[in-house]
Amino acid sequence: MKHPAHQQRIVLNAVRHIHSCVSVPMLRRPQRAFHVISAANYPRKRQFFTSNPYLSQSNDDSRQLSNQQQQAPSAKRKPTRVATTKNSLRRVAIIAQQPKLGSDGKTPPADQTDPSNIVSATCIAEAFDMPMVLDILSAHGFAIDPDVTGFDTNEVLHARGVNGGDIFVFPSGTVVTWSLPPDVVTKQIMRAAQEPHSEDLREAEDLEFTTDISKELSTLKGDVIVLGTRREHKEGDTQDTTLAKIAFSSGLARSTKLAVLESALTSYFESTRTIPSLLSRGSGVPLGRRFILRKTGELLSLRARLNHYSELTDSLPDIFWDSRSELGLEGYYDQVGRALDVNVRIRALNQKMDYAQEIASVLREMSSEQHGTRLEWIIIVLIAVEVVFELRRIVLEWRQEREAAAAAEHIE
């Protein structure tokens, strides 16, 4: 007979066997989520802030992995395009970096878009001490007359820097630079300037230039100088190109020098602006003789600087008289003059000086009349004083005679 405990164990084992047999054919219930979460096969991790660098690194890795999983399904979608404003700095910078298109819709050569292809002329003084300029440029390592043009250094001084930029210094006080900033040169040669201009009286003009290896002759198209460098490209001879640069530079220096005189005449008119209105009112001009003489001297100096002491009115500078005619230097000089209206400006400047001369003549006449009137009044006053003294003498003599007569009667 079996023990009751043993029978109870047998019954429990049977129940467990029946339960396992019944549960085997049943499928496991699938797990479902009530909201969108990460994939079930990836374990979820808690994201929390910690000062532990190792835990923080693990959290960052899990966060990066989760971001990759979320972005993976939408990888094929195009990113949203951010609308840029019309005047945004980024758009302006992108447009500025893009090369400008030519008239034919094609991108021009690099030499046309290079900002260093600028001819700059600056008039900084009334004249230059050319031997001192030569010494200064030589001391700074510039090559003097590298292409052996044969011009006298007292007429034009050509120097070239290590980067290939050209410098042309003229005795009229003007510096012309090609592919070089003018400030680099003007600061160095200011010691050689005679009667230097102040900052507000300096004048500068710029032109663009480019090269064309298919042409032998140079030309000026609008405001762009086109240098024909076919001979330089084939034979390696840069002398003709340098001579063309000298001719263009001389014309540009002439225009800059003329601009200085125009500014000086404008300042002169500003100082005498109120004189015609005062004359029209008939109130006279309360100006001293010293002021009138000073303004007359300034006007005569401007006229002399324009017509006598410079080559502004000459059709061709003296440095080009001995040049070969086939080079066409006179034509280059004239092209710059026509493009910048030099002759028209000279004629207009002389007409303005004629008008200023008329005002100065009126002032001198008025000054002479005032001076004559003053002398006349002085003479009148002197005559009046003399009459007073004469009357006093007559009165004193009459009193003396009367006193003498009275004394004689008293004695008798």
Side-chain angles (χ1 to χ4, degrees):
M1 185 174 179
K2 296 183 180 180
H3 195 271
H6 180 70
Q7 293 178 357
Q8 186 178 0
R9 187 181 298 110
I10 293 173
V11 173
L12 292 174
N13 290 335
V15 173
R16 290 177 180 175
H17 178 72
I18 293 171
H19 185 271
S20 61
C21 292
V22 174
S23 60
V24 167
M26 295 178 63
L27 297 176
R28 297 184 63 183
R29 189 175 181 179
Q31 298 179 357
R32 295 181 180 180
F34 292 98
H35 57 276
V36 179
I37 59 175
S38 60
N41 53 352
Y42 290 100
R44 299 187 64 184
K45 295 184 179 181
R46 295 179 61 187
Q47 308 296 332
F48 58 89
F49 175 78
T50 177
S51 60
N52 192 325
Y54 299 101
L55 294 179
S56 177
Q57 183 177 2
S58 62
N59 293 336
D60 294 339
D61 295 339
S62 62
R63 188 182 298 108
Q64 183 178 4
L65 181 60
S66 176
N67 293 335
Q68 292 178 358
Q69 294 172 5
Q70 294 179 5
Q71 295 178 1
S74 61
K76 295 182 180 180
R77 295 180 60 186
K78 294 184 179 180
T80 305
R81 189 172 183 180
V82 180
T84 59
T85 59
K86 185 177 181 181
N87 296 325
S88 63
L89 294 178
R90 184 174 181 272
R91 182 176 183 274
V92 173
I94 293 174
I95 294 176
Q97 293 175 0
Q98 293 178 353
K100 297 181 180 179
L101 298 179
S103 59
D104 55 353
K106 298 180 181 180
T107 303
D111 56 353
Q112 293 186 8
T113 58
D114 189 0
S116 63
N117 288 349
I118 298 295
V119 187
S120 300
T122 308
C123 184
I124 63 175
E126 190 64 27
F128 275 131
D129 186 356
M130 298 305 289
M132 185 179 293
V133 174
L134 177 61
D135 296 338
I136 294 173
L137 294 179
S138 301
H140 283 80
F142 290 96
I144 305 300
D145 196 12
D147 299 322
V148 193
T149 57
F151 289 113
D152 189 1
T153 56
N154 291 322
E155 296 176 342
V156 60
L157 181 59
H158 176 212
R160 180 170 296 164
V162 293
N163 62 340
D166 293 305
I167 303 170
F168 299 97
V169 183
F170 295 89
S172 60
T174 307
V175 181
V176 182
T177 58
W178 294 64
S179 301
L180 277 178
D183 295 340
V184 177
V185 184
T186 55
K187 292 180 180 179
Q188 303 297 334
I189 64 176
M190 278 300 297
R191 293 187 289 110
Q194 298 177 353
E195 299 181 17
H197 300 314
S198 58
E199 292 288 342
D200 55 342
L201 294 180
R202 295 181 185 177
E203 294 292 338
E205 293 187 10
D206 297 333
L207 290 178
E208 297 182 2
F209 79 94
T210 183
T211 57
D212 190 351
I213 60 175
S214 63
K215 296 181 180 180
E216 186 173 353
L217 297 178
S218 303
T219 185
L220 179 63
K221 295 182 178 180
D223 294 337
V224 180
I225 299 174
V226 181
L227 296 175
T229 58
R230 183 171 65 180
R231 182 176 178 182
E232 178 181 350
H233 182 70
K234 291 183 178 180
E235 303 177 4
D237 187 6
T238 59
Q239 185 179 17
D240 291 352
T241 305
T242 302
L243 290 175
K245 288 183 178 180
I246 292 176
F248 286 120
S249 299
S250 180
L252 191 59
R254 179 192 185 193
S255 177
T256 310
K257 185 71 173 181
L258 183 61
V260 173
L261 296 180
E262 290 173 344
S263 299
L265 186 61
T266 302
S267 301
Y268 177 86
F269 277 117
E270 288 295 330
S271 63
T272 59
R273 183 177 181 179
T274 59
I275 294 177
S277 60
L278 292 176
L279 293 176
S280 63
R281 291 197 298 265
S283 57
V285 181
L287 301 176
R289 184 177 180 84
R290 186 185 300 276
F291 175 83
I292 296 174
L293 291 177
R294 185 171 67 250
K295 290 303 175 181
T296 303
E298 290 179 5
L299 183 60
L300 293 176
S301 176
L302 289 175
R303 187 180 288 274
R305 289 164 59 186
L306 175 63
N307 298 290
H308 301 290
Y309 300 151
S310 62
E311 297 179 347
L312 293 176
T313 56
D314 295 345
S315 59
L316 185 67
D318 295 339
I319 59 176
F320 299 130
W321 280 107
D322 297 332
S323 62
R324 302 192 306 271
S325 59
E326 60 270 15
L327 295 177
L329 301 184
E330 181 179 359
Y332 302 155
Y333 182 81
D334 291 337
Q335 287 179 15
V336 177
R338 288 194 300 269
L340 300 178
D341 296 331
V342 173
N343 292 328
V344 177
R345 290 160 60 190
I346 291 176
R347 184 165 56 252
L349 199 60
N350 276 319
Q351 292 176 355
K352 292 179 180 179
M353 288 184 179
D354 291 338
Y355 171 72
Q357 185 67 36
E358 293 179 1
I359 296 178
S361 299
V362 172
L363 292 179
R364 287 197 304 271
E365 291 178 0
M366 293 183 62
S367 177
S368 299
E369 291 179 359
Q370 292 177 357
H371 183 66
T373 303
R374 189 179 301 110
L375 291 177
E376 291 176 357
W377 277 107
I378 291 173
I379 294 173
I380 292 174
V381 170
L382 292 176
I383 293 174
V385 171
E386 185 178 0
V387 170
V388 170
F389 278 101
E390 185 66 22
L391 291 175
R392 180 177 179 275
R393 185 184 64 81
I394 293 174
V395 171
L396 291 176
E397 289 181 353
W398 177 74
R399 285 181 178 180
Q400 290 177 358
E401 291 179 356
R402 186 176 178 182
E403 290 177 357
E409 292 179 356
H410 181 71
I411 294 172
E412 291 179 355

